[in-house]
Amino acid sequence: MAVGSDIVTPELVGKHQFDELLDPSFDATHYAHELVRSRDTMELKADKISSIMTDLSATSSSLDARMRATVLGTHEQILEQVLGVASVDVTLEQVEDQVREIKQYMHALRTKIRVPYGQALEYTRQARNLQLATRHVRATSKFMQLVRRLAVQIPESGGRPDYALAALTLVDIERLVNTSDLCGIDVVDRALATEVTPRRQQTANEANEMLVGGMRRQHQSDVGSGLQILFNLGIISNAVDTRIQASIAALHTIITGRIDPRALHIGVREHNARATAIDGRDMVGIDTILWTRQEDMIDAVLASGLEVRVLERVLQRKRDVLRVDARVDASYLDVVASKLGDRVLALWWTKVVDTIAREIHASCDESSVVRQILTNNYPRLVQLFLPRLEPLLAARLGGVTSVRDLQSSVASVLISDEDTGCAGDVDLAQSPNVRYSDWGMRVLWTRLLSVFEAEYVNKAASRMDDSVSRCFPAPPPAGLVDAQSTWAQRHNTKSDELQAVSTVPNRKLVASVVRSVGTELEMAKSDARLCTMVARAATRAISSFVATTKDRLLSVMDNPRVVDPCAATAHPMTRSVIGLINCVEALRVGISELCQPADQPLTAPAQSVLCTCRDELQTFIDAQSDVLLDAADRAISQALLDVDNSSLWSHAEHALQWLQTQVLEPLDPRRSSRVHTMTDSYLTLFVHTVCVTMPLTETAKLRLASELPQLEFACSQAASTMGVRVTGDAYKSVRQMRPLLFMTSRELAQVLGERGAEWSSVSELDLLNHVVCRVATEEEAACVPHELLGCSRREWLGGVAGSEFVESTDVCRNKEMLHLWDTRNLSASCRAVVCECLNRMLKHKLADDLVALIQAALSMK
């Protein structure tokens, strides 16, 4: 008997001896045989079997008791569930009966609704068919009325047809046929074939004839009538596009092959074959034929463009006022532009320019001669289009305008204001009404003229650069340099003189640079942009001239003897420096004349560029000439500061002579103001120096009487070289101070007290210095002014003594001096000298005549 897992009980699970019996693969027979064959004794085997049987019997009894208790416990629950199922069956039967009654009611109700609904659908279908039939009858009736109206408007014989109203009728007929399904109606098909289609074709033909004839005769009324008919027919955009394409095709036939190099050579041969003059003056070259044929092309373009312009003007003026749904502000041109993508004249001009550019570029690619002719005569190429095409290109005169914004496509190729120095709306001299900002001119320049303009400017710049290069030729080879040195030694000529000759450019070559610039500007004067670009190229060429000149000046000035005013003999290269500066001055004068030509002024942008170049040249000239003037100024000033040394006066005289003979006389630039300032400073410095010099002896007086006129004469000669007269305050101060230099302190007191107004040009500090110095001759305790202030004489004369020597805490106790001190607005330096002088007088008890003398000197002012 097999024991499976289905009867497993807690009692069995807890016993290990039954594990084997509970195994699903347990075989009772095999288990019994194993017990019998075991090696245990028979008693053990019997006891084992008996214990197992007892346990099994007890377990079986326990299992039966549990099963009985379970069945008795769940019987009542099962009975209750059975009763519940029976009640549910009764309820379901009742629900089925009610559902059955509802279905019968709904069937009856559906029958009552379906029959009237079907009848209503049938009546609706009949009404719709009747409505469609009525609509077709009405459409057919209206169609026949329109056909009869069309027959009245365009009679077959006799009467004047009204094509404008007929076009409206045709549009109404076409709209009616398209919106109503009239196909298959015999009367409609027959009327369309016999009445409508022929008259529609006749109306369209008549409108096209009126349009073409009006454009050819420039008759705006005929053009307007034709456009009105085409607009009423609804084919205005196609008709206008057809006219534009026809015009472009006609021009393409005229332009294509017109300036082909082979055709040009054939034209030259044919023309020269007909020449009859013995000297051949009526024979022409390829350039004449080229320009003649291009002029013919432009004339054809102008004639066709005027026709298209009339068409666009009429399109812009005409508006649809008959249709209710039409925009009041919308013109025919807006309608056409929305369909074609741009305005009529703009589309035509773009394609015509493309055709001309393609023909010219093809001819230039095939023949370098044609390219050279057009490039070298670029101003004439511009004049080929302007002013002839001014009616087409001038936007302010109703020329080419576009609804598209070309800024993005043209900005990359247009020359910017920074590059040209002129704005995009500048006018052309030959066509004041045309601007580069006009759309038509931008298209022409972008697609055709820009290439030739760039080449022309490059060639003009090359010509100007060549003229500059001729001014500074390349250095000779080494063998030639040795030969020149040998020749110089043989003829007792210094090598510096030969170098000076080779350093300075020839004046004629410098003048050729100005002529080259003037010629290029004159040729480009008619075009503001071209003139500005040529002016910038000229500025670059002149800048290279200045750069080369500067390099040569630096190489020459490396030798300090060249700019040494105190040298025993003047260096020959000094004249080379002056010559180089004079060359730049010649350029500046030439550019100044070009800025304001007498016959025809340049454009404002070009004048601005040239004026900037002129100012830069002037700055360079001033800077280089200042090098020589500064060297002379330093040498003369240093010599005058120590004029008490007899040798230094000779240095000053020599430097003044070097300034006059080596610098001012050969120098072309007029440095009048600088020279006037220099001579004034020399006279003032000399007076300052003499005033603070210790008391003069008889020998010193004789020397002073000799040197002062010499200084005045030398300064006068130097100033007169620049066209300036020495008549300023410094000269007056010297003339008034001269007699005071030879007087004693008593004489000074008497003269200053009696005739103080005569010395009004003399400075307070000079008078004070001179008074103090003269009193120092008689009073040992007195000192000269710079010693009173604690500085050297060179510092005092050089103007170093300033606020650092002015501060003083001493108080003046002289009542008269206090009054003078309060009433006079003295300079800081004069206040310092007066304070120290009064302090010294109080300390050493000097005579009162110094007080009177100082009062006299200061009261003169």
Side-chain angles (χ1 to χ4, degrees):
M1 172 179 164
V3 181
S5 60
D6 297 335
I7 59 173
V8 175
T9 62
E11 290 80 1
L12 293 178
V13 174
K15 297 180 180 180
H16 295 287
Q17 62 268 26
F18 296 112
D19 292 341
E20 186 175 3
L21 298 178
L22 295 176
D23 190 359
S25 62
F26 175 75
D27 189 359
T29 305
H30 179 71
Y31 182 75
H33 284 297
E34 289 294 330
L35 289 176
V36 172
R37 287 195 299 268
S38 63
R39 296 180 181 181
D40 297 334
T41 62
M42 293 300 294
E43 292 78 2
L44 293 174
K45 294 179 181 179
D47 293 338
K48 189 174 184 180
I49 292 173
S50 297
S51 62
I52 292 173
M53 292 300 294
T54 301
D55 293 336
L56 287 175
S57 298
T59 303
S60 175
S61 299
S62 176
L63 181 62
D64 290 338
R66 287 178 177 272
M67 291 178 61
R68 187 179 296 108
T70 301
V71 170
L72 292 175
T74 59
H75 177 69
E76 294 298 333
Q77 296 178 359
I78 293 173
L79 289 178
E80 293 177 357
Q81 292 177 0
V82 169
L83 293 176
V85 171
S87 63
V88 170
D89 290 339
V90 174
T91 303
L92 288 176
E93 289 178 358
Q94 294 176 358
V95 171
E96 287 179 356
D97 294 340
Q98 293 177 1
V99 170
R100 192 178 299 111
E101 291 177 358
I102 291 174
K103 286 184 178 179
Q104 292 176 358
Y105 176 76
M106 291 299 296
H107 180 71
L109 183 62
R110 187 182 298 111
T111 302
K112 292 180 180 180
I113 293 175
R114 183 180 298 172
V115 173
Y117 178 73
Q119 293 177 356
L121 288 178
E122 184 64 24
Y123 295 155
T124 303
R125 188 180 301 109
Q126 293 175 2
R128 185 184 302 110
N129 294 335
L130 181 61
Q131 184 179 6
L132 291 175
T134 304
R135 186 181 301 171
H136 280 79
V137 170
R138 289 178 179 177
T140 305
S141 176
K142 185 176 182 180
F143 176 81
M144 296 307 299
Q145 291 178 2
L146 291 175
V147 170
R148 285 193 294 272
R149 184 196 302 174
L150 181 63
V152 173
Q153 293 170 349
I154 306 179
E156 293 183 356
S157 61
R160 184 176 180 180
D162 191 348
Y163 290 105
L165 295 178
L168 291 176
T169 304
L170 288 170
V171 172
D172 293 338
I173 292 174
E174 184 178 0
R175 186 183 299 112
L176 180 62
V177 172
N178 292 333
T179 55
S180 303
D181 187 12
L182 301 180
C183 298
I185 302 176
D186 184 62
V187 63
V188 174
D189 294 340
R190 186 169 55 255
L192 286 175
T194 60
E195 299 290 338
V196 178
T197 302
R199 284 179 170 82
R200 180 180 179 84
Q201 186 64 35
Q202 180 181 353
T203 303
N205 294 337
E206 182 65 23
N208 285 324
E209 290 179 1
M210 294 173 64
L211 179 62
V212 174
M215 291 173 60
R216 185 181 301 110
R217 297 189 304 272
Q218 301 287 304
H219 198 284
Q220 296 187 11
S221 178
D222 291 348
V223 175
S225 300
L227 290 176
Q228 182 68 54
I229 296 172
L230 293 173
F231 182 81
N232 295 337
L233 290 175
I235 58 174
I236 185 171
S237 298
N238 296 333
V240 171
D241 186 43
T242 302
R243 292 309 314 151
I244 294 175
Q245 298 302 329
S247 176
I248 294 173
L251 289 177
H252 185 271
T253 304
I254 297 174
I255 295 173
T256 303
R258 185 67 176 173
I259 57 174
D260 183 74
R262 290 183 293 274
L264 293 176
H265 287 292
I266 293 174
V268 171
R269 288 196 298 269
E270 291 177 354
H271 184 277
N272 292 337
R274 296 191 299 269
T276 58
I278 299 177
D279 54 357
R281 63 177 177 273
D282 54 350
M283 300 181 69
V284 298
I286 188 174
D287 55 341
T288 304
I289 301 298
L290 173 63
W291 292 112
T292 301
R293 294 194 174 185
Q294 287 188 120
E295 290 173 357
D296 296 340
M297 289 165 46
I298 300 305
D299 291 339
V301 169
L302 177 61
S304 180
L306 292 177
E307 296 178 2
V308 178
R309 190 184 70 165
V310 170
L311 174 62
E312 181 174 290
R313 286 186 174 182
V314 178
L315 284 171
Q316 190 171 8
R317 294 174 182 173
K318 295 286 289 184
R319 278 167 172 74
D320 185 13
V321 296
L322 297 179
R323 298 185 183 181
V324 178
D325 57 347
R327 288 174 49 194
V328 179
D329 58 340
S331 63
Y332 288 2
L333 183 60
D334 298 331
V335 176
V336 173
S338 63
K339 295 292 183 63
L340 301 184
D342 204 348
R343 298 168 73 95
V344 175
L345 191 57
L347 287 173
W348 175 85
W349 175 248
T350 302
K351 294 182 179 180
V352 169
V353 171
D354 289 339
T355 303
I356 297 175
R358 188 165 49 251
E359 180 67 19
I360 292 178
H361 290 322
S363 180
C364 292
D365 294 339
E366 189 173 350
S367 175
S368 60
V369 176
V370 175
R371 176 179 293 276
Q372 185 176 2
I373 292 173
L374 295 179
T375 301
N376 294 341
N377 298 274
Y378 172 74
R380 184 176 179 181
L381 180 62
V382 176
Q383 294 174 3
L384 184 68
F385 295 93
L386 297 171
R388 292 189 181 185
L389 299 184
E390 182 175 345
L392 303 180
L393 297 180
R396 65 180 72 177
L397 299 180
V400 181
T401 55
S402 175
V403 298
R404 295 179 297 177
D405 185 14
L406 289 188
Q407 294 297 330
S408 58
S409 59
V410 179
S412 58
V413 293
L414 279 178
I415 300 177
S416 61
D417 299 349
E418 291 77 6
D419 295 335
T420 61
C422 60
D425 58 350
V426 292
D427 298 339
L428 290 91
Q430 68 271 25
S431 297
N433 294 316
V434 179
R435 299 185 176 186
Y436 273 104
S437 59
D438 293 343
W439 192 85
M441 190 61 197
R442 283 193 291 174
V443 172
L444 178 62
W445 186 89
T446 304
R447 306 190 180 189
L448 177 61
L449 300 180
S450 59
V451 177
F452 297 102
E453 181 186 67
E455 293 180 359
Y456 178 82
V457 172
N458 291 334
K459 286 191 174 183
S462 178
R463 288 191 290 268
M464 289 184 288
D465 290 339
D466 291 341
S467 64
V468 172
S469 301
R470 287 193 294 270
C471 295
F472 301 99
L480 182 59
V481 173
D482 295 338
Q484 289 179 351
S485 302
T486 304
W487 182 87
Q489 293 176 0
R490 185 181 304 169
H491 293 81
N492 295 326
T493 303
K494 296 181 180 180
S495 58
D496 290 343
E497 297 179 358
L498 292 177
Q499 184 182 359
V501 173
S502 61
T503 301
V504 181
N506 193 320
R507 284 297 185 93
K508 295 182 179 180
L509 296 178
V510 176
S512 67
V513 175
V514 178
R515 287 196 302 271
S516 177
V517 173
T519 301
E520 300 296 340
L521 290 174
E522 184 67 27
M523 294 180 63
K525 192 179 292 186
S526 60
D527 190 341
R529 189 208 316 270
L530 180 63
C531 188
T532 304
M533 295 179 67
V534 171
R536 290 191 173 277
T539 301
R540 290 191 293 270
I542 293 174
S543 298
S544 65
F545 182 96
V546 173
T548 306
T549 303
K550 186 175 182 180
D551 293 339
R552 293 202 173 190
L553 286 172
L554 291 176
S555 63
V556 170
M557 291 183 182
D558 284 341
N559 187 355
R561 294 179 56 247
V562 176
V563 290
D564 184 10
C566 299
T569 57
H571 198 279
M573 295 302 293
T574 305
R575 289 299 183 96
S576 298
V577 174
I578 299 298
L580 291 172
I581 296 175
N582 290 340
C583 290
V584 181
E585 172 66 12
L587 273 181
R588 188 198 65 80
V589 173
I591 296 300
S592 300
E593 294 175 354
L594 293 177
C595 290
Q596 299 292 337
D599 50 354
Q600 182 180 358
L602 299 175
T603 58
Q607 284 187 358
S608 176
V609 172
L610 292 180
C611 290
T612 303
C613 177
R614 177 196 61 193
D615 296 340
E616 292 176 354
L617 291 176
Q618 185 63 56
T619 303
F620 176 80
I621 292 170
D622 294 343
Q624 299 303 323
S625 58
D626 282 342
V627 174
L628 300 174
L629 297 178
D630 290 343
D633 191 28
R634 284 193 301 271
I636 297 171
S637 299
Q638 293 297 330
L640 291 178
L641 285 174
D642 296 323
V643 74
D644 55 328
N645 190 342
S646 60
S647 60
L648 292 178
W649 166 249
S650 62
H651 291 169
E653 185 179 13
H654 184 76
L656 279 169
Q657 185 179 4
W658 181 87
L659 173 65
Q660 177 183 350
T661 58
Q662 299 297 321
V663 178
L664 298 181
E665 289 181 356
L667 188 65
D668 289 343
R670 299 291 91 184
R671 302 301 308 277
S672 303
S673 59
R674 174 66 191 278
V675 173
H676 187 271
T677 303
M678 290 170 60
T679 54
D680 283 356
S681 65
Y682 300 153
L683 295 174
T684 303
L685 184 59
F686 185 82
V687 172
H688 290 344
T689 304
V690 173
C691 288
V692 298
T693 303
M694 290 300 290
L696 299 175
T697 61
E698 292 298 328
T699 304
K701 290 181 179 181
L702 293 176
R703 177 186 165 191
L704 179 61
S706 173
E707 292 178 354
L708 186 56
Q710 292 179 15
L711 176 64
E712 293 179 5
F713 180 76
C715 292
S716 176
Q717 290 295 318
S720 62
T721 306
M722 291 286 106
V724 180
R725 297 183 61 186
V726 183
T727 57
D729 294 337
Y731 181 74
K732 293 179 180 179
S733 177
V734 172
R735 301 295 294 181
Q736 292 180 4
M737 192 68 185
R738 177 185 293 180
L740 301 179
L741 296 176
F742 300 95
M743 295 182 182
T744 63
S745 60
R746 296 182 181 276
E747 293 173 345
L748 284 172
Q750 182 180 0
V751 172
L752 293 177
E754 295 176 356
R755 295 179 298 173
E758 296 182 3
W759 289 270
S760 58
S761 297
V762 181
S763 66
E764 296 174 346
L765 189 58
D766 287 341
L767 280 174
L768 191 57
N769 288 338
H770 183 56
V771 166
V772 174
C773 289
R774 287 299 172 266
V775 173
T777 306
E778 303 168 359
E779 301 291 342
E780 296 180 357
C783 297
V784 292
H786 59 83
E787 293 178 356
L788 292 174
L789 298 178
C791 63
S792 64
R793 188 183 70 164
R794 181 176 291 275
E795 289 176 338
W796 180 252
L797 295 177
V800 179
S803 59
E804 56 185 297
F805 302 109
V806 174
E807 297 180 0
S808 176
T809 57
D810 295 327
V811 180
C812 178
R813 295 180 175 85
N814 188 294
K815 295 182 179 181
E816 297 180 359
M817 292 299 296
L818 282 174
H819 176 71
L820 182 64
W821 188 276
D822 295 334
T823 56
R824 296 297 301 164
N825 184 18
L826 301 178
S827 62
S829 300
C830 290
R831 288 175 181 268
V833 174
V834 171
C835 281
E836 292 297 330
C837 289
L838 294 177
N839 291 334
R840 293 296 180 92
M841 286 187 292
L842 292 173
K843 188 180 298 183
H844 299 283
K845 298 180 180 180
L846 298 180
D848 293 336
D849 56 353
L850 180 58
V851 176
L853 193 56
I854 293 176
Q855 290 179 351
L858 296 178
S859 62
M860 289 170 52
K861 307 301 293 182

